[in-house]
Amino acid sequence: VPFAMLVALVIEISDTTLHYIIYGVMTLIMIFLFTRKSYRPKAPVVLTKQEINELITTWEPTPLISTEPDPYYQYNIESVPVVTSVNKNIINLEGAENLLNCATTNYLGFTQASEYVEPAAIKTLRTTGTGSCGPRNFYGTLDVHLEFEERMAKFLNVDSAILYSSSIATCASVIPTFAAREDFILSDCRVRKSIQLGNFNSRATVQYFRHNDMNHLEELMIQITKNMKKKGKKKARRFVTVEGIYQNYGTICRLREVVALAKKYKFRVILDDSVGLGNVGATGRGTLELLGLKISDVQIFCADVTSLGSLGGVCCGRADMVRVQRLNGSGYMYSASNPPYVASAGTAALDALDEHPEMIQSLQKKSALLHSLLKEIPRVEIESYGNCPFVIMRLEESIRPEDRLSEAKVYQQIVEMVRERGVAIVRTKYTRLEKYPPPPQIKVAVMVQHSDEQLRKVADVVRQSIQEAVAQL
């Protein structure tokens, strides 16, 4: 009993002391506030008319653009070739005619004078005219647009598909439709500009992993997962954005490993298969088919449809995923829809791929042939995938110039030498807004109309031109 009374007395004394401490602190705060000087804003500065006139006459606005353009990008603009006409695999330029066309994305030959695509496009053109004159949700949707979406969904064996009028607006609209400020995106550092724009527009936390480096990707996934648990962000969404075959480099994605890591750490995969669709895989279903994956292994599938003789891009997958974009995809809602005849061209191209799979197999054989021939050229680096319908080339590091402008000038010299020998190839050019700008490169494309003899000629011409240019270094 005495011990209990002692404890009660200590508690009573402690409570009283605590109250006195609180009262004392509050009293000091009140004294401090009452003794402070009151805030008085400074009187506004009144200028005389003479002073105002002097400020106006001496003011120089900041220029909207740089007055001293980057020499590298300026050189890119100055060296753009002008096309006068194209006839299948023959192209005419200003100052050079009847060139073998290896400077195109028309790999399957659907874009010009195609017996499979042109009749359907002309029929629709005579029925609807040249344009739809409105966004898809405002009198811009015609029956041929819906037919193309339905045909694309059937081609890829998915629930639904949505057609965008611009290829670069596809991923740039799709990604911010599903990713927002509190979310996370991991992206390969070599993704093309459309994906970079989508990442930026989403306002999510974006990190870029080293190209095809699965260890780096997993490190970032683990880091994000730990941070989410630490900060209690259980509802934040996580995405990985990659390309099936990287448009700027021609390299193939390690997609099986990306999908496996995404499943392990609960990330969603957004795949852009613009190069793969129609061009790789046994039946032209793209990189997923090539690697033995199902389209359900990725949550969002996007692709450019230019190589199908059409225009714009598509996003395919689950019906609810597509339906959200029809009300939230900025590129779908606020852009004029595709010209109707282009949608009909795309539908006809998909029919042709199903009816003539030998076209795809022929293109892949020709792609493999050109890669093997160009890889025999000494002192040249090629990292593009063997069945990719174009070859990306650079001189080996030991002989190429150190600065990119000088390297670009060497490649332009090679392009012009090749042109003089009757073949059109290109030096790649990219916008200065690229997150990780690709280096100067030479690009040689394949068309299904090219014969093996023509491809051997291309390889010989490129070899001769490179050897001449290297000899002058």
Side-chain angles (χ1 to χ4, degrees):
V1 174
F3 178 74
M5 293 176 64
L6 179 62
V7 170
L9 180 62
V10 170
I11 292 174
E12 182 178 355
I13 293 172
S14 298
D15 288 346
T16 304
T17 304
L18 179 62
H19 289 154
Y20 283 132
I21 291 173
I22 293 173
Y23 293 151
V25 171
M26 293 177 64
T27 302
L28 290 174
I29 292 173
M30 293 174 66
I31 292 171
F32 172 74
L33 292 175
F34 278 118
T35 55
R36 285 188 68 192
K37 293 181 179 180
S38 59
Y39 172 71
R40 294 180 181 178
K42 295 181 179 179
V45 177
V46 180
L47 300 176
T48 64
K49 288 186 178 181
Q50 182 179 355
E51 290 173 330
I52 293 174
N53 290 333
E54 287 178 358
L55 287 174
I56 292 174
T57 53
T58 57
W59 178 70
E60 293 184 4
T62 303
L64 293 176
I65 59 174
S66 174
T67 55
E68 298 181 0
D70 186 303
Y72 172 69
Y73 291 103
Q74 185 66 27
Y75 181 69
N76 285 346
I77 295 171
E78 293 171 352
S79 57
V80 172
V82 178
V83 179
T84 56
S85 66
V86 180
N87 183 15
K88 295 186 178 180
N89 64 344
I90 301 298
I91 186 170
N92 295 316
L93 307 177
E94 281 189 357
E97 296 185 349
N98 295 321
L99 305 178
L100 189 63
N101 191 1
C102 293
T104 180
T105 57
N106 184 28
Y107 313 119
L108 292 165
F110 286 141
T111 302
Q112 289 106 11
S114 169
E115 59 187 285
Y116 306 110
V117 170
E118 191 173 280
I122 291 175
K123 180 180 178 181
T124 301
L125 181 64
R126 289 173 175 166
T127 304
T128 64
T130 57
S132 54
C133 300
R136 289 292 301 273
N137 286 344
F138 300 92
Y139 302 101
T141 297
L142 278 74
D143 54 353
V144 290
H145 294 123
L146 300 177
E147 289 170 7
F148 176 78
E149 291 173 342
E150 183 179 350
R151 185 67 183 87
M152 179 61 75
K154 181 180 178 182
F155 182 78
L156 293 174
N157 193 27
V158 293
D159 295 341
S160 186
I162 183 171
L163 174 63
Y164 286 82
S165 58
S166 167
S167 60
I168 195 170
T170 304
C171 284
S173 298
V174 171
I175 294 172
T177 299
F178 298 99
R181 189 181 296 275
E182 297 297 322
D183 300 329
F184 299 90
I185 296 175
L186 296 179
S187 195
D188 192 292
C189 66
R190 286 189 173 184
V191 293
R192 67 193 189 118
K193 185 60 181 175
S194 176
I195 297 177
Q196 295 174 30
L197 286 173
N199 293 342
F200 177 79
N201 293 339
S202 70
R203 299 186 180 181
T205 300
V206 181
Q207 291 176 279
Y208 289 86
F209 60 92
R210 293 184 293 272
H211 178 57
N212 271 344
D213 188 335
M214 296 300 104
N215 292 329
H216 190 203
L217 174 60
E218 186 170 17
E219 287 175 11
L220 294 176
M221 285 181 167
I222 293 171
Q223 178 184 333
I224 288 173
T225 303
K226 287 181 178 179
N227 289 341
M228 286 179 61
K229 290 180 180 179
K230 185 177 180 180
K231 297 180 180 180
K233 294 184 176 182
K234 295 182 179 180
K235 294 183 179 180
R237 289 162 292 194
R238 292 161 284 180
F239 299 90
V240 181
T241 54
V242 293
E243 291 182 71
I245 295 177
Y246 289 86
Q247 191 176 73
N248 294 344
Y249 295 87
T251 52
I252 189 167
C253 178
R254 296 170 63 179
L255 197 54
R256 294 193 193 98
E257 296 164 78
V258 171
V259 168
L261 287 174
K263 289 180 179 178
K264 180 178 179 180
Y265 294 101
K266 299 181 180 179
F267 278 68
R268 295 178 173 93
V269 178
I270 301 177
L271 173 66
D272 183 334
D273 204 18
S274 296
V275 176
L277 181 63
N279 302 312
V280 300
T283 62
R285 265 68 179 180
T287 311
L288 290 168
E289 182 181 47
L290 176 69
L291 299 177
L293 296 170
K294 299 177 181 178
I295 197 166
S296 57
D297 289 325
V298 301
Q299 284 64 51
I300 301 176
F301 178 95
C302 300
D304 184 344
V305 294
T306 305
S307 64
L308 299 179
S310 188
L311 182 69
V314 291
C315 181
C316 311
R318 290 171 42 179
D320 54 351
M321 182 271 293
V322 170
R323 186 164 52 248
V324 168
Q325 295 178 61
R326 298 194 189 278
L327 294 176
N328 296 280
S330 57
Y332 180 87
M333 292 187 63
Y334 304 114
S335 298
S337 62
N338 293 39
Y341 69 91
V342 195
S344 295
T347 303
L350 293 174
D351 291 339
L353 291 179
D354 277 343
E355 294 169 7
H356 304 280
E358 66 275 7
M359 295 173 57
I360 305 160
Q361 297 159 14
S362 176
L363 176 66
Q364 292 172 12
K365 289 179 181 178
K366 295 177 191 299
S367 300
L369 174 62
L370 184 62
H371 272 82
S372 65
L373 293 171
L374 293 178
K375 283 183 177 179
E376 294 175 359
I377 301 175
R379 316 200 79 174
V380 165
E381 294 177 357
I382 296 176
E383 60 175 333
S384 48
Y385 168 63
N387 280 4
C388 176
F390 56 83
V391 182
I392 298 291
M393 310 170 60
R394 294 184 75 191
L395 296 178
E396 65 181 22
E397 187 175 0
S398 61
I399 60 171
R400 65 179 178 241
E402 293 184 0
D403 66 287
R404 59 180 179 174
L405 177 58
S406 299
E407 185 179 3
K409 288 182 177 180
V410 172
Y411 296 160
Q412 186 63 35
Q413 181 186 9
I414 294 171
V415 168
E416 291 170 0
M417 288 179 177
V418 170
R419 193 180 300 165
E420 290 172 0
R421 292 180 166 98
V423 178
I425 63 174
V426 295
R427 176 175 62 83
T428 57
K429 304 176 182 71
Y430 302 98
T431 170
R432 67 194 309 168
L433 301 178
E434 292 273 354
K435 180 73 175 176
Y436 298 99
Q441 304 157 326
I442 294 174
K443 183 176 181 181
V444 187
V446 181
M447 293 182 67
V448 73
Q449 288 98 337
H450 289 152
S451 66
D452 290 355
E453 292 180 3
Q454 288 174 328
L455 294 177
R456 288 189 174 90
K457 175 189 174 182
V458 170
D460 288 339
V461 164
V462 172
R463 180 187 295 106
Q464 294 170 24
S465 301
I466 288 177
Q467 289 174 347
E468 287 186 22
V470 170
Q472 297 175 19
L473 292 178

